[in-house]
Amino acid sequence: ISFNCVDSSLSSLKNCQSYINTGMDIATHVAFDLVESFNDVEDVNSMENVMLEYAAMDRELNHYMRAIEETVNQIKREKPENIPDLKCLVKEKFTALESKNSDSDLQRNEKYVYFKDQLKEMRKQFCHPSDNGNEAIEQIDEDIAVTQSQMNFICPITQMEMKRPVRNKVCGHTYEEDAILKIIQTRKQQKKEVRCPKIGCSHTNVKESDLVPDEALKRAIDSQNKQ
């Protein structure tokens, strides 16, 4: 049995998946723009709903591709004399996978997790000024917040303001991308693990795969520099 046609279809489905990923990236940046420009919470929440819809599409596509791959592998393994009904077998496996769906699957989607984490950071960096009328206390709080923010702008490795901050998903600390990657590469050649460069952090195995761009922090630094 030739599976060239199936392989071609799988390739097309993987292209669809890349479109979903691009859509999630765009929705994430739109949400960040909305927070940065102090837009209505409902607008930001609508972007979160878009992200969940994309996550559901991604899950469905993954299940369908998995059903096809498992069916093909089963046929290759069993080598039946008569060509089985591929469509029926794939549908059976796909239905079984979909029956185990839960909302928590969507919450665990990697891009959705990143979206939620960065959205929280964005709200911290671009918080709405409170209108409690006490301007003096407000100004002091704001000054403290600005000082703390500026301290967070400094890379623990270079001791300079970050241009391309990345966040460690394990310990939550941020570093200048080039600086931490250089350390990881050097230690890799020495066959040694990398300790988190942030003073006081006990995390002893920093990996490149654990680093994600810290868009919220980058926007806060850019905003501060514009002012």
Side-chain angles (χ1 to χ4, degrees), residues 24-40:
M24 291 182 98
D25 289 341
I26 292 167
T28 300
H29 283 98
V30 169
F32 294 169
D33 288 343
L34 290 169
V35 175
E36 194 172 346
S37 53
F38 300 109
N39 274 57
D40 194 76

Side-chain angles (χ1 to χ4, degrees), residues 16-171:
C16 289
Q17 202 163 32
S18 72
Y19 297 142
I20 289 172
N21 286 335
T22 302
M24 291 182 98
D25 289 341
I26 292 167
T28 300
H29 283 98
V30 169
F32 294 169
D33 288 343
L34 290 169
V35 175
E36 194 172 346
S37 53
F38 300 109
N39 274 57
D40 194 76
V41 175
E42 278 183 31
D43 293 335
V44 179
N45 289 345
S46 71
M47 283 299 108
E48 185 171 346
N49 292 332
V50 168
M51 289 294 286
L52 288 169
E53 283 171 25
Y54 272 127
M57 281 192 273
D58 188 57
R59 177 180 64 187
E60 190 175 341
L61 200 53
N62 275 328
H63 283 167
Y64 193 63
M65 288 193 291
R66 186 175 154 191
I68 293 170
E69 284 166 352
E70 285 182 5
T71 302
V72 167
N73 289 336
Q74 183 186 333
I75 293 167
K76 282 179 178 174
R77 198 168 51 247
E78 295 172 0
K79 297 175 182 169
E81 286 181 23
N82 300 318
I83 298 172
D85 187 338
L86 274 175
K87 191 177 176 182
C88 189
L89 284 172
V90 168
K91 190 177 178 184
E92 219 173 82
K93 289 184 185 293
F94 174 69
T95 305
L97 289 167
E98 285 284 291
S99 68
K100 295 173 186 169
N101 286 350
S102 71
D103 288 344
S104 61
D105 297 341
L106 306 182
Q107 312 278 346
R108 286 196 298 270
N109 177 285
E110 197 175 329
K111 283 192 177 286
Y112 179 75
V113 170
Y114 176 77
F115 171 86
K116 289 292 284 181
D117 175 60
Q118 286 288 290
L119 201 57
K120 191 170 85 176
E121 292 301 316
M122 282 292 292
R123 282 176 168 144
K124 273 191 220 167
Q125 301 287 0
F126 297 94
C127 55
H128 293 257
S130 59
D131 48 3
N132 58 10
N134 196 333
E135 288 181 18
I137 293 172
E138 213 174 280
Q139 186 57 49
I140 292 165
D141 288 346
E142 196 176 308
D143 290 343
I144 292 168
V146 167
T147 306
Q148 285 174 340
S149 287
Q150 285 170 337
M151 282 168 65
N152 294 334
F153 295 169
I154 303 301
C155 170
I157 304 163
T158 65
Q159 293 302 311
M160 292 170 69
E161 187 177 87
M162 290 179 272
K163 289 182 174 63
R164 292 174 65 186
V166 288
R167 178 182 294 275
N168 190 326
K169 289 190 284 186
V170 180
C171 63

